Amino acid sequence: MLDRRWIAAHIPHQGAMCLLDAVLEWSDAVIVCRAVSHADPANPLRAEGRLGAAAGIEYAAQVMAVHGALIAGDDAPPRQGYLASVRSVALHVARLDDLPGALAVRAERLSGDGNHILYQFSLAHAGRCLLEGRAAVVLDATAL
C-alpha cells in the first residue's frame, strides 16, 4: 500500500493540502484511495468550521493526480494536470466533516488520449455514496 508520504512526493499538493492518506488499490483504469483529513479541524478546505460535500471534488481531483503519477511510472516526470470541468455531480450529503472514520475516494478512467482524460469519481463512507460525478482533466494545458 502506498502511503501519504509517497502521495505527497508525486502530486503538487503539499502539507495539509495533501488530503489523501493511502492508495488502497489501482489499475490502469481504476484507483481507490483512503482519506481521513475530512475530520481534521485544520483541513484547509473548511469554511466556517465545516467541510461541505462539494469539497469532495478536490479529494477526487487528487486521486486522479495520483492515478496519473502511477500510470506514468517512476521514470517519467509528472505531468501537470488541470481539472477542466466537472459534470453530473450529485451530492448525497451536505457535509463531510461529521463522518467518523475513513472515506474511500474512487476514480475510474472512462476515456482519454495524451492530453485529455475523462474520469468518473465517487466518495463513499462505510459503503454509502456521498458524492459522485464526472471530471475532465487536461494535461500540460500550457503546452496546448
Side-chain angles (χ1 to χ4, degrees):
M1 177 171 32
L2 302 171
D3 64 8
R4 187 175 194 284
R5 185 174 49 216
W6 186 95
I7 292 168
H10 290 85
I11 65 173
H13 310 83
Q14 298 299 305
M17 202 49 213
C18 180
L19 303 172
L20 307 173
D21 296 299
V23 176
L24 300 178
E25 61 183 82
W26 74 279
S27 68
D28 286 346
V30 175
I31 183 168
V32 180
C33 292
R34 180 182 67 221
V36 296
S37 61
H38 64 287
D40 185 348
N43 185 309
L45 300 178
R46 281 185 180 235
E48 298 181 17
R50 297 169 45 121
L51 183 65
I57 295 169
E58 177 60 26
Y59 282 80
Q62 289 190 24
V63 167
M64 293 172 217
V66 171
H67 191 241
L70 287 165
I71 289 174
D74 288 334
D75 297 334
R79 295 180 69 195
Q80 190 71 30
Y82 297 92
L83 193 60
S85 71
V86 292
R87 307 268 184 190
S88 302
V89 174
L91 305 175
H92 302 296
V93 295
R95 53 195 289 193
L96 302 175
D97 59 291
D98 57 353
L99 301 168
L103 301 178
V105 189
R106 183 182 191 278
E108 178 181 357
R109 184 180 172 139
L110 299 176
S111 64
D113 59 26
N115 292 312
H116 304 88
I117 304 168
L118 179 63
Y119 279 100
Q120 180 173 294
F121 63 86
S122 64
L123 269 72
H125 175 264
R128 176 182 173 209
C129 183
L130 307 174
L131 81 110
E132 58 193 326
R134 290 192 322 265
V137 176
V138 175
L139 300 173
D140 299 328
T142 57
L144 295 178

